[in-house]
């Protein structure tokens, strides 16, 4: 067995061990078991097809989770653009489309409510303000916050990745949360109460 074969076998074992966690993460985002499986499979294939891209600057889990997030985003974008038409066994797709409309061209069912566009815009604005607040944090503080809250890494993984103690990690997370709260109070919540 060559060194390359041993390394690839080790990579396969590591990816297989983290697969259940990746599937759970994808299911939370996609709310569909089949789509989650597909997204995880695509992410794992991307890692296995070009293992040399993993430079070891982060943990393998962080690297794979990053790829999976892009696969999930691609999937979410595709599902909002595309809607599958369900047909009965004896029905063609054209017949299924025709069945959605009356003879005069009006739809048989009213479209779903689109929600509150103002609220959606407010949410986008909130995340833009949050991003600015994160940018104002010291780099290491922002990184540990994102590792914990966005990548959902546990404290041990974060400490290993950043070569810091557990108590140092908790202090940095506390500082990040306090600074973010202060920034959001000033730049988001305070403006909303004043307005």
């Amino acid at each position: 067995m060559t060194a390359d074969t041993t390394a690839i076998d080790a990579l396969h074992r590591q990816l297989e061990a983290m697969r259940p966690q990746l599937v759970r993460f994808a299911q939370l985002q996609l709310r569909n078991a089949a789509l989650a499986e597909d997204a995880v499979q695509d992410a794992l294939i991307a890692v296995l097809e070009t293992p040399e891209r993993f430079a070891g600057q982060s943990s393998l889990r962080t690297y794979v989770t990053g790829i999976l997030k892009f696969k999930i985003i691609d999937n979410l974008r595709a599902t909002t653009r595309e809607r599958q038409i369900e047909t009965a066994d004896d029905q063609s797709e054209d017949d299924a489309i025709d069945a959605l409309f009356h003879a005069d061209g009006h739809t048989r069912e009213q479209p779903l409510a689109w929600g509150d566009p103002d609220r959606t815009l407010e949410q986008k604005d909130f995340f833009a303000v949050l991003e600015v607040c994160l940018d104002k944090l010291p780099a290491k503080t922002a990184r540990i916050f994102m590792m914990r809250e966005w990548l959902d890494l546990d404290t041990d993984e974060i400490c290993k990745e950043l070569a810091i103690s557990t108590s140092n990690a908790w202090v940095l997370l506390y500082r990040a949360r306090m600074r973010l709260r202060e920034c959001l109070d000033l730049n988001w919540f305070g403006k909303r109460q004043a307005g």
Side-chain angles (χ1 to χ4, degrees), residues 81-166:
R81 285 191 308 258
E82 303 167 0
R83 185 168 177 204
Q84 296 297 322
I85 296 175
E86 296 180 21
T87 61
D89 291 337
D90 60 341
Q91 188 180 37
S92 73
E93 196 170 289
D94 289 338
D95 290 339
I97 292 171
D98 289 342
L100 297 173
F101 300 94
H102 293 289
D104 64 0
H106 289 91
T107 59
R108 292 189 184 272
E109 294 179 23
Q110 291 296 319
L112 297 174
W114 288 11
D116 183 356
D118 291 333
R119 180 130 171 87
T120 302
L121 182 59
E122 283 178 6
Q123 287 178 333
K124 288 180 183 176
D125 290 345
F126 172 78
F127 284 107
V129 171
L130 177 62
E131 189 174 339
V132 168
C133 290
L134 279 167
D135 288 342
K136 290 181 180 180
L137 291 176
K140 191 171 190 176
T141 306
R143 183 170 183 213
I144 194 170
F145 179 81
M146 293 303 288
M147 290 172 83
R148 178 66 175 189
E149 301 302 330
W150 176 241
L151 295 176
D152 202 27
L153 297 177
D154 62 36
T155 307
D156 292 337
E157 289 175 298
I158 294 169
C159 291
K160 184 178 176 186
E161 183 68 32
L162 299 178
I164 59 174
S165 67
T166 304

